[in-house]
Amino acid sequence: MSDSTPLANLQTVAFQVGIGEAWTYDFHNGVLPTLSYTTAAGTTTGVAATFSSTLEAFFNGTVAMPTGEESLYINQYGLQWDLRGVSQPITSFSIDFTGVQHAQIYGMTLTQSDVFTQVVAVPVPEPETYALMLGGLGMVVMLARRRRQAA
């Protein structure tokens, strides 16, 4: 994905991609997308995202692997690049990534801004986390009842 006419005074690029796993992998070797930009001086620089997160993981079935059944997901990734430190005007940029064979792209969104906005990820607990919390709470209640009965 590239843009040869970026926003003037570009400070933030945000990218979302929905990608379905194939054999439990989505990005080749787990390498997330990177951004490369070219300045008015002709310098091209590649940078890793200053923020990246799996925003959502939608269960998409299972697959038989040598180690047993593994879950497959359609993953929605969010990435952001902070370009405030670039002193020259950015004349173009591209976002590059490689998916594994048979991974499927479900959608991509690119947002540019001339204002920097820090993205804050709010982790979404997995269902197993809630089960563990409820189990722990149940144990605390059970121990409290035993103490009262013993006293």
Side-chain angles (χ1 to χ4, degrees):
M1 176 174 275
S2 62
D3 191 339
S4 58
T5 57
L7 195 61
N9 194 31
L10 183 62
Q11 293 189 20
T12 305
V13 173
F15 179 62
Q16 286 189 30
V17 59
I19 184 169
E21 296 179 348
W23 296 95
T24 69
Y25 302 99
D26 46 24
F27 293 116
H28 187 258
N29 290 333
V31 177
L32 292 175
T34 58
L35 181 132
S36 297
Y37 62 86
T38 303
T39 64
T43 305
T44 300
T45 305
V47 292
T50 51
F51 167 85
S52 64
S53 179
T54 304
L55 303 174
E56 297 209 55
F58 302 100
F59 181 70
N60 196 29
T62 60
V63 64
M65 298 294 283
T67 57
E69 287 288 311
E70 291 191 25
S71 297
L72 291 173
Y73 292 91
I74 299 170
N75 297 312
Q76 183 72 26
Y77 290 94
L79 299 103
Q80 179 182 3
W81 290 269
D82 177 0
L83 302 173
R84 291 178 294 171
V86 180
S87 59
Q88 292 282 321
I90 295 174
T91 58
S92 66
F93 69 87
S94 65
I95 297 173
D96 300 302
F97 63 91
T98 305
V100 297
Q101 185 177 13
H102 304 297
Q104 298 143 356
I105 300 291
Y106 288 93
M108 294 186 285
T109 303
L110 178 69
T111 306
Q112 304 176 49
S113 179
D114 58 358
V115 176
F116 178 74
T117 305
Q118 180 65 46
V119 175
V120 178
V122 177
V124 178
E126 295 289 330
E128 295 85 6
T129 304
Y130 290 118
L132 285 171
M133 287 173 29
L134 287 173
L137 181 60
M139 291 295 290
V140 169
V141 169
M142 184 181 74
L143 289 173
R145 283 186 181 170
R146 280 191 175 179
R147 281 189 176 171
R148 278 192 204 144
Q149 289 174 354

